Amino acid sequence: MTDTLADSRTSSRSFSEGVPLVVEDVPRRSTTERTRLLEDPGFGRYFTDSMFVARYRTGEGWYDARLTAYGPLQMDPSAATLHYAQSIFEGLKAYAQPDGTVATFRPESNAARFTRSAARLAMPPVPEAAFLTAVDALVDADRDWVPTGPDQTLYLRPYEMAVEPFLGVRPADEYLFIVIASPAGAYFPRGVQPVTVYLSEDYIRAAPGGTGDVKCAGNYAASLLAQEQAIAAGCDQVVWLDAMEKRYVEEMGGMNLFFVLGSGADAELVTPELTGTLLPGITRDSLITVAREQGHPVTERKVSVDEWRSGVADGSITETFACGTAAVITPVGAVKARTGDFPVGTGEPGPLTMQLRTHLLDIQHGRVPDRHGWLHRVASAA
Ligand code: PLP
Ligand code: COI
């Protein structure tokens, strides 16, 4: 971030009412360098040339909104977020469209969830229109970084954190709202191969009254040890159970879960209901709609580990998959648990899993009509 206004100009856009959006001239990497990085971006390794930053102070509201060069932040060592994790984030993607434009997927839903996360962490909300303006402005500025390879995207990470230099435990009076962007290929290096999951019986992700239904940084810090335990047990991902009875399946790592009952045209889906301890995923919500449209009933209810295990054994549960923005849809192939391991499905991605995955990606990449108005055009054709 830089304080120099030398090469900056105020765009015709405002971030929010009375707050102009300043666009700085940022140094850009060469086409050769960008092309090289976009060849195999992986997930979250490389970042685009620009970032969006706005500041907030109690009494003043949001101010100093700017697109600036991507780079290190300076903050006071006593900044509240560094001590008490008053910090929230979102994750969404921009997709290159066949006509050369770029679109994000349901960004209003991310903006709305960001508002709910801010409220839970006693943080000032970013006005939802301002959230969209910031995301759009960054994608537009760095549209050359939207990759066009198969299923490649530009992953967008809006976040807000408390930066007031103060060690007292209370909501801070100063915040930053930042959006960064990172070209993305597959989230899991093995692509769409089924993952093996580990039921976390020692640790929980979320308890009633906690922060499980919002996207705050602390949720992810608290998940890392269980994820390490899963890896030590030879698994790819941790599956979280409910905190009270350790009986019901809630989520997988940073993804929601679906279970397929039956097969073929009559297959039905079940997904754990949003009890207040699960994150209401936008992919989850989209898949509920898409599956119902394809004639597959979807029920939101509690699913116990016992039901999962016995359903797989008697053949009534035929597939299980996880879904989220970063990883799209990932099949679950096997479960490890202290109470006994069990396989799920055939070891190959299930047919309904793949059908829904293909259809969702087709909508996001503009290969089939967007009947729900889920795509939000950001950058026009070059
Ligand atoms: N659950 C958790 C804990 C997550 O971090 C995410 C990712 O954002 C999801 C579920 C999936 O949510 P979405 O589909 O909105 O990306
Ligand atoms: C996402 O799917 O966007 C997530 O936030 C999950 C993870 C990368 C934290």
Side-chain angles (χ1 to χ4, degrees):
M1 204 173 15
T2 166
D3 284 330
T4 169
L5 297 181
D7 288 320
S8 64
R9 66 198 145 81
T10 301
S11 74
S12 53
R13 283 170 293 187
S14 292
F15 169 61
S16 61
E17 217 185 305
V19 184
L21 173 60
V22 173
V23 179
E24 294 178 7
D25 275 335
V26 306
R28 301 207 166 266
R29 272 156 289 179
S30 67
T31 306
T32 318
E33 172 71 350
R34 197 177 57 239
T35 309
R36 187 180 69 75
L37 297 178
L38 292 182
E39 252 161 40
D40 179 23
F43 181 84
R45 283 190 289 158
Y46 308 122
F47 298 91
T48 62
D49 296 323
S50 314
M51 64 180 182
F52 172 88
V53 183
R55 295 169 178 278
Y56 179 95
R57 186 173 294 127
T58 302
E60 200 170 332
W62 291 102
Y63 66 99
D64 193 13
R66 62 182 59 233
L67 275 174
T68 187
Y70 182 92
L73 301 171
Q74 260 207 340
M75 68 176 92
D76 197 282
S78 67
T81 189
L82 301 176
H83 303 271
Y84 308 127
Q86 201 190 2
S87 172
I88 57 170
F89 72 99
E90 267 305 324
L92 70 163
K93 285 173 169 175
Y95 303 82
Q97 301 295 300
D99 63 2
T101 62
V102 175
T104 49
F105 183 72
R106 305 188 67 183
E108 326 73 33
S109 302
N110 295 93
R113 192 167 63 189
F114 203 59
T115 301
R116 294 197 300 274
S117 299
R120 179 63 184 83
L121 275 273
M123 297 167 80
V126 173
E128 290 175 25
F131 178 101
L132 298 179
T133 299
V135 169
D136 286 4
L138 179 63
V139 176
D140 204 16
D142 285 354
R143 50 167 306 144
D144 289 348
W145 284 90
V146 181
T148 50
D151 296 338
Q152 288 187 336
T153 59
L154 185 65
Y155 183 78
L156 303 161
R157 174 53 63 87
Y159 59 109
E160 182 182 341
M161 61 183 165
V163 293
E164 183 189 357
F166 177 60
L167 291 184
V169 181
R170 59 143 171 79
D173 279 330
E174 291 170 36
Y175 295 86
L176 286 181
F177 170 52
I178 299 178
V179 189
I180 56 175
S182 173
Y187 183 73
F188 292 116
R190 285 190 290 126
V192 75
Q193 281 311 301
V195 293
T196 300
V197 300
Y198 181 82
L199 296 190
S200 183
E201 287 152 302
D202 293 335
Y203 305 106
I204 56 160
R205 192 189 85 90
T211 56
D213 61 344
V214 297
K215 250 176 121 57
C216 60
N219 286 351
Y220 299 80
S223 77
L224 299 176
L225 190 56
Q227 175 62 24
E228 289 224 309
Q229 204 178 39
I231 289 168
C235 296
D236 303 290
Q237 285 284 312
V238 59
V239 160
W240 302 107
L241 305 178
D242 75 286
M244 306 307 279
E245 298 181 69
K246 301 237 178 104
R247 208 173 132 203
Y248 297 103
V249 180
E250 297 208 322
E251 304 193 56
M252 179 187 98
M255 306 176 79
N256 294 114
L257 282 163
F258 279 83
F259 302 89
V260 179
L261 274 52
S263 55
D266 296 332
E268 299 190 11
L269 288 154
V270 175
T271 187
E273 67 177 299
L274 302 177
T275 54
T277 52
L278 285 76
L279 190 80
I282 296 158
T283 318
R284 173 188 182 278
D285 185 70
S286 309
L287 288 175
I288 291 175
T289 301
V290 163
R292 284 180 180 153
E293 278 169 3
Q294 294 186 350
H296 300 289
V298 184
T299 311
E300 297 176 71
R301 64 167 170 82
K302 289 185 176 174
V303 178
S304 69
V305 176
D306 286 346
E307 179 184 357
W308 194 8
R309 187 196 309 271
S310 62
V312 165
D314 69 21
S316 54
I317 296 181
T318 51
E319 303 172 40
T320 304
F321 63 85
C323 68
T325 297
V328 194
I329 289 185
T330 300
V332 175
V335 181
K336 276 197 179 180
R338 292 225 180 89
T339 44
D341 302 348
F342 58 97
V344 179
T346 60
E348 291 298 313
L352 189 53
T353 301
M354 291 312 283
Q355 178 186 316
L356 290 170
R357 186 175 192 279
T358 304
H359 191 68
L360 182 64
L361 285 170
D362 281 347
I363 297 174
Q364 292 170 331
H365 288 270
R367 296 186 286 255
V368 297
D370 167 28
R371 298 216 311 273
H372 304 282
W374 282 343
L375 291 184
H376 171 85
R377 280 303 139 165
V378 179
S380 52

